[in-house]
Coordinates of all heavy atoms in Angstrom, one line a residue:
L1 N 200.5 46.5 45.5 CA 200.8 47.0 46.9 C 202.2 46.5 47.3 O 203.0 47.4 47.8 CB 199.8 46.4 47.9 CG 200.0 46.8 49.3 CD1 199.6 48.2 49.5 CD2 199.1 45.9 50.2
I2 N 202.6 45.3 47.1 CA 203.9 44.8 47.5 C 205.0 45.5 46.7 O 206.1 45.7 47.3 CB 203.9 43.2 47.3 CG1 202.9 42.6 48.2 CG2 205.3 42.7 47.6 CD1 202.7 41.1 47.9
E3 N 204.7 45.9 45.5 CA 205.7 46.5 44.7 C 205.8 48.0 44.9 O 206.8 48.7 44.6 CB 205.5 46.2 43.2 CG 205.6 44.8 42.9 CD 207.0 44.1 43.2 OE1 208.0 44.8 43.1 OE2 207.0 43.0 43.6
S4 N 204.7 48.6 45.4 CA 204.7 50.1 45.5 C 204.8 50.7 46.9 O 204.9 51.9 47.0 CB 203.4 50.6 44.8 OG 202.3 50.1 45.5
V5 N 204.7 49.9 47.9 CA 204.7 50.4 49.3 C 206.1 49.9 49.9 O 206.6 48.9 49.6 CB 203.5 49.8 50.1 CG1 203.6 50.2 51.6 CG2 202.2 50.3 49.5
A6 N 206.6 50.8 50.8 CA 207.9 50.5 51.4 C 207.8 49.2 52.2 O 206.8 48.9 52.8 CB 208.3 51.6 52.4
I7 N 208.8 48.4 52.1 CA 208.8 47.0 52.7 C 208.6 47.1 54.2 O 207.8 46.3 54.8 CB 210.1 46.3 52.4 CG1 210.2 45.9 50.9 CG2 210.3 45.1 53.3 CD1 211.4 45.2 50.5
E8 N 209.2 48.1 54.9 CA 209.0 48.3 56.3 C 207.5 48.5 56.7 O 207.0 48.1 57.7 CB 209.9 49.3 56.9 CG 211.4 48.9 56.9 CD 211.6 47.6 57.5 OE1 211.1 47.3 58.6 OE2 212.3 46.8 56.9
Q9 N 206.9 49.3 55.8 CA 205.4 49.5 56.0 C 204.6 48.2 55.8 O 203.7 48.0 56.6 CB 205.0 50.6 55.0 CG 203.6 51.2 55.4 CD 203.3 52.3 54.5 OE1 204.0 52.7 53.6 NE2 202.1 52.9 54.7
I10 N 205.0 47.4 54.9 CA 204.3 46.2 54.7 C 204.6 45.2 55.8 O 203.7 44.5 56.3 CB 204.7 45.5 53.3 CG1 204.3 46.4 52.1 CG2 204.1 44.1 53.2 CD1 204.8 45.9 50.8
K11 N 205.8 45.2 56.3 CA 206.2 44.4 57.5 C 205.5 44.8 58.8 O 205.4 44.0 59.7 CB 207.7 44.4 57.7 CG 208.4 43.6 56.6 CD 209.9 43.6 56.9 CE 210.6 42.7 56.0 NZ 212.1 42.6 56.3
S12 N 204.9 46.0 58.8 CA 204.2 46.5 60.0 C 202.9 45.8 60.2 O 202.2 45.9 61.2 CB 204.1 48.0 60.0 OG 203.1 48.4 59.0
V13 N 202.4 45.1 59.2 CA 201.1 44.4 59.2 C 201.4 42.9 59.4 O 202.3 42.4 58.8 CB 200.4 44.6 57.9 CG1 199.1 43.8 57.8 CG2 200.1 46.1 57.7
R14 N 200.6 42.3 60.2 CA 200.7 40.8 60.4 C 199.8 40.2 59.3 O 198.6 40.4 59.3 CB 200.2 40.3 61.7 CG 201.2 40.8 62.8 CD 200.8 40.3 64.2 NE 201.2 38.9 64.3 CZ 200.3 37.9 64.6 NH1 199.1 38.1 64.9 NH2 200.7 36.6 64.7
W15 N 200.4 39.5 58.3 CA 199.6 39.0 57.2 C 199.2 37.5 57.4 O 200.1 36.7 57.8 CB 200.5 39.1 55.9 CG 200.8 40.5 55.6 CD1 201.9 41.2 55.9 CD2 200.0 41.4 54.8 NE1 201.8 42.5 55.4 CE2 200.7 42.6 54.7 CE3 198.7 41.2 54.2 CZ2 200.1 43.7 54.1 CZ3 198.2 42.3 53.5 CH2 198.9 43.5 53.5
Y16 N 198.0 37.2 57.1 CA 197.5 35.8 57.2 C 196.7 35.5 55.9 O 195.7 36.2 55.7 CB 196.6 35.7 58.4 CG 196.2 34.3 58.7 CD1 196.9 33.5 59.6 CD2 195.1 33.7 58.1 CE1 196.5 32.2 59.9 CE2 194.7 32.4 58.4 CZ 195.4 31.7 59.3 OH 195.0 30.4 59.6
I17 N 197.1 34.6 55.1 CA 196.4 34.2 53.9 C 196.0 32.8 54.0 O 196.7 31.9 54.3 CB 197.4 34.4 52.7 CG1 197.9 35.8 52.6 CG2 196.6 34.0 51.4 CD1 199.1 35.9 51.6
D18 N 194.7 32.6 53.9 CA 194.1 31.3 54.0 C 193.1 31.1 52.8 O 192.2 31.8 52.6 CB 193.3 31.2 55.3 CG 192.7 29.8 55.6 OD1 192.7 29.0 54.6 OD2 192.3 29.5 56.7
C19 N 193.5 30.1 52.0 CA 192.7 30.0 50.7 C 192.5 28.5 50.4 O 193.4 27.7 50.6 CB 193.5 30.6 49.6 SG 192.6 30.7 48.1
G20 N 191.3 28.2 49.9 CA 191.0 26.8 49.5 C 191.7 26.5 48.2 O 191.8 27.4 47.3
D21 N 192.0 25.2 48.0 CA 192.6 24.8 46.7 C 191.7 24.9 45.6 O 192.1 24.8 44.4 CB 193.3 23.5 46.9 CG 192.4 22.4 47.3 OD1 191.2 22.6 47.5 OD2 192.9 21.2 47.4
D22 N 190.4 25.0 45.8 CA 189.4 25.1 44.7 C 188.8 26.5 44.7 O 187.8 26.7 43.9 CB 188.2 24.1 45.0 CG 188.7 22.6 44.8 OD1 189.6 22.4 44.0 OD2 188.2 21.8 45.6
D23 N 189.4 27.4 45.4 CA 188.9 28.8 45.4 C 189.3 29.5 44.1 O 190.4 29.3 43.7 CB 189.5 29.5 46.6 CG 188.9 30.9 46.9 OD1 188.5 31.6 46.0 OD2 188.7 31.2 48.1
F24 N 188.4 30.3 43.6 CA 188.7 31.0 42.3 C 189.8 32.1 42.6 O 190.4 32.6 41.6 CB 187.5 31.7 41.7 CG 186.9 32.8 42.5 CD1 187.2 34.1 42.3 CD2 185.9 32.5 43.5 CE1 186.7 35.1 43.1 CE2 185.4 33.5 44.3 CZ 185.7 34.8 44.1
L25 N 190.1 32.4 43.8 CA 191.2 33.4 44.2 C 192.5 32.7 44.5 O 193.5 33.3 44.9 CB 190.7 34.2 45.4 CG 189.5 35.1 45.2 CD1 189.1 35.7 46.5 CD2 189.7 36.1 44.2
Y26 N 192.6 31.4 44.3 CA 193.7 30.6 44.7 C 195.0 31.1 44.0 O 196.0 31.3 44.6 CB 193.5 29.1 44.3 CG 194.8 28.3 44.5 CD1 195.1 27.9 45.8 CD2 195.6 27.9 43.4 CE1 196.3 27.1 46.0 CE2 196.7 27.2 43.6 CZ 197.1 26.8 44.9 OH 198.2 26.0 45.1
E27 N 194.9 31.4 42.7 CA 196.1 31.8 41.9 C 196.6 33.1 42.4 O 197.8 33.3 42.7 CB 195.8 31.9 40.4 CG 197.1 32.2 39.6 CD 196.8 32.2 38.1 OE1 195.7 31.9 37.7 OE2 197.8 32.6 37.4
G28 N 195.8 34.1 42.6 CA 196.2 35.4 43.1 C 196.8 35.3 44.5 O 197.8 36.0 44.8
N29 N 196.1 34.6 45.4 CA 196.7 34.4 46.7 C 198.1 33.7 46.7 O 198.9 34.1 47.5 CB 195.7 33.6 47.6 CG 194.6 34.4 48.1 OD1 194.7 35.5 48.6 ND2 193.4 33.9 47.9
S30 N 198.2 32.8 45.8 CA 199.5 32.1 45.7 C 200.6 33.1 45.2 O 201.7 33.1 45.7 CB 199.4 30.9 44.7 OG 198.5 30.0 45.2
L31 N 200.3 33.9 44.3 CA 201.2 34.9 43.8 C 201.6 35.9 44.9 O 202.7 36.4 44.9 CB 200.6 35.6 42.5 CG 200.5 34.7 41.3 CD1 199.8 35.5 40.2 CD2 201.8 34.2 40.8
V32 N 200.6 36.3 45.7 CA 200.9 37.2 46.8 C 201.9 36.5 47.8 O 202.9 37.1 48.2 CB 199.6 37.7 47.5 CG1 200.0 38.4 48.8 CG2 198.8 38.6 46.6
H33 N 201.6 35.3 48.1 CA 202.5 34.5 49.0 C 203.9 34.5 48.4 O 204.9 34.8 49.1 CB 202.0 33.1 49.1 CG 202.9 32.1 49.6 ND1 203.5 32.2 50.9 CD2 203.5 31.0 49.1 CE1 204.3 31.2 51.1 NE2 204.4 30.5 50.0
I34 N 204.1 34.2 47.1 CA 205.4 34.1 46.5 C 206.1 35.5 46.5 O 207.3 35.6 46.9 CB 205.3 33.6 45.0 CG1 204.8 32.2 45.0 CG2 206.6 33.8 44.3 CD1 204.4 31.6 43.7
A35 N 205.3 36.6 46.3 CA 205.9 37.9 46.3 C 206.4 38.3 47.7 O 207.5 38.9 47.9 CB 204.9 38.9 45.8
L36 N 205.6 37.9 48.7 CA 206.0 38.2 50.1 C 207.2 37.4 50.5 O 208.1 37.9 51.2 CB 204.8 37.8 51.1 CG 203.6 38.7 51.0 CD1 202.5 38.1 51.8 CD2 203.9 40.1 51.5
K37 N 207.3 36.1 50.1 CA 208.5 35.3 50.3 C 209.7 35.9 49.7 O 210.8 36.0 50.3 CB 208.3 33.9 49.8 CG 207.3 33.0 50.6 CD 207.9 32.5 51.9 CE 208.8 31.4 51.7 NZ 209.3 30.8 52.9
K38 N 209.6 36.3 48.5 CA 210.8 36.9 47.8 C 211.3 38.1 48.5 O 212.5 38.4 48.5 CB 210.4 37.2 46.3 CG 210.3 36.0 45.4 CD 210.0 36.4 44.0 CE 209.9 35.2 43.1 NZ 209.6 35.5 41.7
K39 N 210.4 38.9 49.1 CA 210.8 40.1 49.8 C 211.1 39.9 51.3 O 211.3 40.8 52.0 CB 209.8 41.2 49.6 CG 209.7 41.7 48.1 CD 209.0 43.0 48.0 CE 209.0 43.4 46.6 NZ 210.1 44.2 46.2
E40 N 211.0 38.6 51.6 CA 211.3 38.2 53.0 C 210.4 38.9 54.0 O 210.8 39.4 55.1 CB 212.7 38.3 53.4 CG 213.6 37.5 52.5 CD 215.1 37.6 52.9 OE1 215.5 38.5 53.7 OE2 215.9 36.8 52.3
I41 N 209.1 39.0 53.6 CA 208.1 39.7 54.5 C 207.4 38.6 55.3 O 206.8 37.7 54.6 CB 207.1 40.5 53.6 CG1 207.8 41.6 52.9 CG2 205.9 41.0 54.5 CD1 207.1 42.3 51.9
P42 N 207.4 38.6 56.6 CA 206.8 37.5 57.4 C 205.3 37.5 57.1 O 204.6 38.5 57.0 CB 207.1 37.9 58.8 CG 208.2 38.9 58.7 CD 208.1 39.6 57.4
H43 N 204.8 36.3 57.0 CA 203.3 36.1 56.8 C 203.0 34.6 57.1 O 203.9 33.7 57.1 CB 202.9 36.5 55.4 CG 203.5 35.6 54.3 ND1 204.8 35.7 53.9 CD2 203.0 34.7 53.5 CE1 205.1 34.9 53.0 NE2 204.0 34.2 52.7
E44 N 201.7 34.4 57.3 CA 201.2 33.0 57.4 C 200.4 32.7 56.1 O 199.7 33.5 55.7 CB 200.2 32.9 58.6 CG 200.9 33.1 59.9 CD 201.8 32.0 60.3 OE1 201.6 30.8 60.0 OE2 202.8 32.3 61.0
Y45 N 200.7 31.5 55.6 CA 200.0 31.2 54.3 C 199.5 29.7 54.5 O 200.2 28.8 54.8 CB 201.0 31.2 53.2 CG 200.5 30.8 51.8 CD1 199.5 31.5 51.2 CD2 201.0 29.7 51.2 CE1 199.0 31.1 50.0 CE2 200.5 29.3 49.9 CZ 199.5 30.0 49.3 OH 199.1 29.6 48.1
R46 N 198.2 29.6 54.3 CA 197.5 28.3 54.4 C 196.7 28.0 53.2 O 196.0 28.8 52.7 CB 196.6 28.3 55.6 CG 197.2 28.6 57.0 CD 198.1 27.5 57.4 NE 198.8 27.8 58.7 CZ 200.0 28.3 58.7 NH1 200.7 28.6 57.6 NH2 200.6 28.6 59.8
V47 N 196.8 26.8 52.7 CA 196.0 26.2 51.6 C 195.4 24.9 52.1 O 196.1 24.1 52.6 CB 196.8 26.0 50.3 CG1 195.9 25.4 49.3 CG2 197.4 27.3 49.8
R48 N 194.1 24.9 52.1 CA 193.4 23.7 52.6 C 192.4 23.2 51.5 O 192.1 24.0 50.5 CB 192.6 23.9 53.9 CG 193.5 24.2 55.0 CD 192.8 24.5 56.3 NE 191.9 25.6 56.3 CZ 190.6 25.5 56.2 NH1 190.0 24.3 56.2 NH2 189.8 26.6 56.1
D49 N 191.9 22.1 51.6 CA 190.9 21.6 50.7 C 189.6 22.4 50.8 O 189.1 22.7 51.9 CB 190.6 20.1 51.0 CG 189.6 19.5 50.0 OD1 189.8 19.8 48.8 OD2 188.7 18.7 50.4
G50 N 189.1 22.9 49.7 CA 187.8 23.6 49.7 C 187.8 24.7 48.7 O 188.8 25.1 48.1
G51 N 186.7 25.4 48.7 CA 186.5 26.5 47.8 C 186.1 27.7 48.5 O 186.3 27.8 49.7
H52 N 185.6 28.7 47.8 CA 185.2 30.0 48.4 C 183.8 29.9 48.9 O 182.9 30.4 48.3 CB 185.3 31.1 47.2 CG 185.4 32.5 47.7 ND1 186.6 33.1 48.1 CD2 184.5 33.4 48.0 CE1 186.4 34.3 48.4 NE2 185.1 34.5 48.4
T53 N 183.7 29.2 50.1 CA 182.4 28.9 50.6 C 182.3 29.3 52.1 O 183.4 29.4 52.8 CB 182.0 27.4 50.5 OG1 182.9 26.7 51.3 CG2 182.1 27.0 49.1
W54 N 181.1 29.5 52.6 CA 180.9 29.7 54.1 C 181.4 28.6 54.9 O 182.0 28.8 56.0 CB 179.5 30.0 54.4 CG 179.1 31.4 54.0 CD1 178.2 31.8 53.0 CD2 179.6 32.7 54.5 NE1 178.2 33.2 52.9 CE2 179.0 33.7 53.9 CE3 180.5 32.9 55.6 CZ2 179.3 35.1 54.2 CZ3 180.8 34.3 55.9 CH2 180.2 35.3 55.2
T55 N 181.2 27.3 54.4 CA 181.7 26.2 55.1 C 183.2 26.3 55.3 O 183.8 26.0 56.4 CB 181.4 24.9 54.4 OG1 179.9 24.8 54.3 CG2 181.9 23.7 55.1
Y56 N 183.9 26.6 54.3 CA 185.4 26.8 54.4 C 185.8 27.8 55.4 O 186.6 27.6 56.3 CB 186.0 27.1 53.0 CG 187.5 27.3 53.0 CD1 188.3 26.2 52.7 CD2 188.1 28.4 53.4 CE1 189.7 26.3 52.7 CE2 189.5 28.5 53.4 CZ 190.3 27.5 53.1 OH 191.6 27.5 53.2
W57 N 185.1 29.0 55.4 CA 185.5 30.1 56.3 C 185.0 29.8 57.7 O 185.8 30.2 58.6 CB 184.9 31.4 55.8 CG 185.6 31.7 54.5 CD1 185.1 31.7 53.2 CD2 187.0 32.0 54.3 NE1 186.0 32.0 52.3 CE2 187.2 32.2 53.0 CE3 188.0 32.2 55.2 CZ2 188.5 32.6 52.5 CZ3 189.3 32.5 54.7 CH2 189.5 32.7 53.4
R58 N 183.9 29.1 57.9 CA 183.6 28.7 59.3 C 184.6 27.8 59.9 O 185.0 27.9 61.0 CB 182.2 28.0 59.2 CG 181.1 28.8 59.7 CD 179.8 28.0 59.9 NE 179.5 27.0 58.9 CZ 178.8 27.2 57.8 NH1 178.3 28.3 57.6 NH2 178.6 26.2 57.0
D59 N 185.2 26.9 59.1 CA 186.2 26.0 59.6 C 187.5 26.8 59.8 O 188.3 26.4 60.7 CB 186.5 24.9 58.6 CG 185.4 23.9 58.5 OD1 184.5 23.8 59.4 OD2 185.3 23.1 57.5
S60 N 187.8 27.8 59.1 CA 189.0 28.6 59.2 C 188.9 29.6 60.4 O 190.0 30.0 60.9 CB 189.3 29.4 58.0 OG 189.5 28.6 56.9
L61 N 187.8 30.0 60.8 CA 187.6 31.0 61.7 C 188.3 30.8 63.1 O 189.0 31.8 63.5 CB 186.1 31.3 62.0 CG 185.7 32.6 62.7 CD1 186.3 33.8 61.9 CD2 184.2 32.7 62.8
P62 N 188.4 29.6 63.7 CA 189.1 29.5 64.9 C 190.6 29.8 64.8 O 191.2 30.5 65.6 CB 188.9 28.0 65.3 CG 187.6 27.7 64.7 CD 187.6 28.4 63.4
E63 N 191.2 29.4 63.7 CA 192.6 29.7 63.5 C 192.9 31.2 63.2 O 193.9 31.7 63.7 CB 193.2 28.8 62.3 CG 193.4 27.4 62.7 CD 194.3 27.2 63.8 OE1 195.4 27.8 63.9 OE2 194.0 26.4 64.8
V64 N 192.0 31.8 62.4 CA 192.1 33.2 62.1 C 192.0 34.0 63.4 O 192.8 34.9 63.7 CB 191.1 33.6 61.1 CG1 191.1 35.1 60.9 CG2 191.3 32.9 59.7
L65 N 191.0 33.7 64.2 CA 190.8 34.4 65.5 C 192.0 34.2 66.4 O 192.4 35.2 67.1 CB 189.5 34.0 66.1 CG 188.3 34.4 65.4 CD1 187.0 33.9 66.1 CD2 188.2 36.0 65.3
K66 N 192.6 33.1 66.4 CA 193.8 32.8 67.2 C 195.0 33.7 66.7 O 195.7 34.3 67.5 CB 194.2 31.4 67.2 CG 195.4 31.1 68.0 CD 195.8 29.6 67.9 CE 197.0 29.2 68.7 NZ 198.1 30.2 68.9
F67 N 195.1 33.8 65.4 CA 196.2 34.6 64.8 C 196.0 36.1 65.2 O 196.9 36.8 65.7 CB 196.2 34.5 63.3 CG 197.2 35.3 62.6 CD1 198.5 34.8 62.5 CD2 196.8 36.5 62.0 CE1 199.4 35.6 61.8 CE2 197.8 37.3 61.3 CZ 199.1 36.8 61.2
V68 N 194.8 36.6 65.1 CA 194.4 38.0 65.5 C 194.6 38.2 67.0 O 195.2 39.2 67.4 CB 193.0 38.3 65.1 CG1 192.6 39.7 65.6 CG2 192.9 38.3 63.5
S69 N 194.2 37.2 67.8 CA 194.3 37.3 69.2 C 195.7 37.4 69.7 O 196.1 38.1 70.6 CB 193.6 36.2 69.9 OG 193.7 36.2 71.3
D70 N 196.6 36.6 69.0 CA 198.0 36.5 69.4 C 198.7 37.9 69.2 O 199.6 38.2 69.9 CB 198.7 35.5 68.6 CG 198.4 34.1 69.0 OD1 197.8 33.9 70.1 OD2 198.7 33.1 68.3
A71 N 198.2 38.7 68.2 CA 198.8 40.0 68.0 C 198.5 40.9 69.2 O 199.4 41.8 69.5 CB 198.1 40.6 66.7
F72 N 197.4 40.8 69.9 CA 197.2 41.6 71.0 C 198.1 41.3 72.2 O 198.3 42.2 73.0 CB 195.7 41.5 71.4 CG 194.8 42.1 70.4 CD1 193.9 41.3 69.7 CD2 194.7 43.5 70.3 CE1 193.1 41.9 68.7 CE2 193.9 44.1 69.3 CZ 193.0 43.2 68.6
H73 N 198.6 40.1 72.3 CA 199.4 39.7 73.4 C 200.9 40.1 73.2 O 201.7 40.0 74.1 CB 199.4 38.2 73.5 CG 198.1 37.7 73.9 ND1 197.5 37.9 75.2 CD2 197.1 36.9 73.3 CE1 196.3 37.4 75.2 NE2 196.1 36.8 74.1
Q74 N 201.2 40.7 72.0 CA 202.6 41.1 71.7 C 202.9 42.4 72.3 O 204.0 42.8 72.4 CB 202.8 41.1 70.2 CG 202.8 39.8 69.5 CD 203.1 39.8 68.1 OE1 203.2 40.9 67.5 NE2 203.1 38.7 67.4
F75 N 201.9 43.2 72.7 CA 202.1 44.6 73.2 C 202.3 44.6 74.6 O 201.9 43.9 75.4 CB 201.0 45.5 72.8 CG 200.9 45.6 71.3 CD1 199.9 45.0 70.6 CD2 201.8 46.4 70.6 CE1 199.8 45.1 69.2 CE2 201.7 46.6 69.2 CZ 200.7 45.9 68.5

């Protein structure tokens, strides 16, 4: 996606990546973060202790909802 879509189109999305350091998706999420940084695409990237579990996501939910909510205040 990052290589095949116009940068301005990618920048039109507010990106938030939150991944546990024991998550099986950690490497892929890290590579997306690096690709976004190289193309200077704004995004939020968080790595915390934990895996791909409901406990991890329950703890993340308040921050994710704040990020989403903040987007509505920009208009």
Side-chain angles (χ1 to χ4, degrees):
L1 179 73
I2 296 168
E3 298 302 324
S4 63
V5 175
I7 289 178
E8 289 310 313
Q9 193 173 1
I10 295 172
K11 285 182 175 181
S12 71
V13 175
R14 293 185 75 233
W15 296 95
Y16 189 95
I17 303 168
D18 184 345
C19 189
D21 57 0
D22 294 324
D23 193 319
F24 67 93
L25 298 172
Y26 174 79
E27 183 176 356
N29 282 311
S30 298
L31 293 172
V32 169
H33 163 64
I34 291 167
L36 291 171
K37 286 288 280 188
K38 285 182 179 179
K39 294 198 179 267
E40 298 180 351
I41 297 169
H43 65 287
E44 297 291 326
Y45 177 65
R46 302 288 177 265
V47 177
R48 296 181 297 108
D49 185 38
H52 198 88
T53 65
W54 283 112
T55 301
Y56 182 92
W57 293 109
R58 256 191 318 270
D59 291 343
S60 295
L61 198 54
E63 288 299 315
V64 173
L65 290 175
K66 181 181 179 328
F67 180 82
V68 171
S69 176
D70 288 347
F72 290 110
H73 295 292
Q74 293 181 357
F75 297 104

